[in-house]
Amino acid sequence: MSNQHKKHRREQPRLSPGAGALPNLGGTENMTVDQFKAEMRTGTGARLAVQLFIAMAFAKAEKERVDAYIMPIFAKYDFRVAKDMPGHTAGEKITNPELIYLAGLENEAVTAFYAECDAAHRAHGWRGAEGACPALVAARDQIKAENNLIKWAAPLFGVSFDTVNCSTLRREFVENLLCAAAKSL
């Protein structure tokens, strides 16, 4: 390696946290761009990105699997919006089980629906907590994997976890990190 090349490598820009950044989470402060690429290829960044890719794939597959047996149960009911809410009118038919809360959780039909869902989850092999939905648990695990990646990377860019997490930038931040990991492979 020539001296000029060595000099260039030493003068690479550093990714360092600004004011209010999270504490160092694994030696990420003052990391060069090349070190970041290496981390995204084989280090902590790569490990966290792979964990997130797996969690995303599992969450998507689990939602599809659960929807396949929950939607027929949902179709047996005629859920209606209980009271006027922004974007919804009282009496309007609820066509998506994710909006069932609009019917009012004290509604007897909602209670019966949830009981049928729990029985269906068990019939389809769910061994988790009673009353928990396997698709929602998988979605929660995906969010935890995203949070781990954000907590690791946020200090590199001089932002705090809270700044990324509580903004419209969260999705873009995570997507950019996943792209960096994919490009580093």
Side-chain angles (χ1 to χ4, degrees):
M1 183 181 302
S2 73
N3 285 338
Q4 186 177 16
H5 188 71
K6 287 179 184 176
K7 181 180 177 187
H8 171 72
R9 291 186 60 81
R10 274 186 261 126
E11 294 175 0
Q12 282 193 7
R14 295 196 174 273
L15 302 170
S16 61
L22 290 176
N24 181 10
L25 299 172
T28 57
E29 67 206 30
N30 297 318
M31 186 180 286
T32 66
V33 172
D34 280 347
Q35 288 168 329
F36 173 73
K37 288 178 181 178
E39 277 293 315
M40 294 307 286
R41 188 172 36 257
T42 60
T44 301
R47 180 181 52 79
L48 294 171
V50 167
Q51 288 174 350
L52 178 52
F53 279 127
I54 291 168
M56 291 168 69
F58 183 72
K60 184 178 187 303
E62 193 68 349
K63 179 167 178 19
E64 291 171 4
R65 184 185 75 81
V66 170
D67 283 353
Y69 65 81
I70 292 301
M71 291 307 290
I73 297 169
F74 181 76
K76 296 187 319 185
Y77 292 88
D78 183 32
F79 293 113
R80 302 283 172 168
V81 174
K83 60 183 179 181
D84 287 344
M85 300 181 104
H88 302 281
T89 306
E92 171 187 342
K93 183 168 179 59
I94 299 172
T95 59
N96 180 340
E98 292 177 12
L99 300 176
I100 198 168
Y101 66 91
L102 295 171
L105 297 179
E106 67 284 348
N107 182 318
E108 288 180 23
V110 170
T111 303
F113 171 72
Y114 282 138
E116 283 191 65
C117 288
D118 197 44
H121 296 323
R122 298 281 173 215
H124 286 86
W126 176 243
R127 303 274 184 263
E130 188 172 325
C133 172
L136 293 178
V137 170
R140 181 207 61 207
D141 289 346
Q142 177 183 329
I143 291 168
K144 285 181 177 180
E146 288 174 2
N147 288 345
N148 289 338
L149 185 60
I150 292 169
K151 286 176 184 175
W152 174 79
L156 295 173
F157 300 97
V159 296
S160 71
F161 171 79
D162 292 336
T163 299
V164 174
N165 191 46
C166 298
S167 73
T168 57
L169 299 175
R170 179 188 171 93
R171 176 168 297 207
E172 185 177 355
F173 191 80
V174 170
E175 287 173 1
N176 286 333
L177 290 170
L178 291 177
C179 285
K183 288 178 182 178
S184 294
L185 298 175

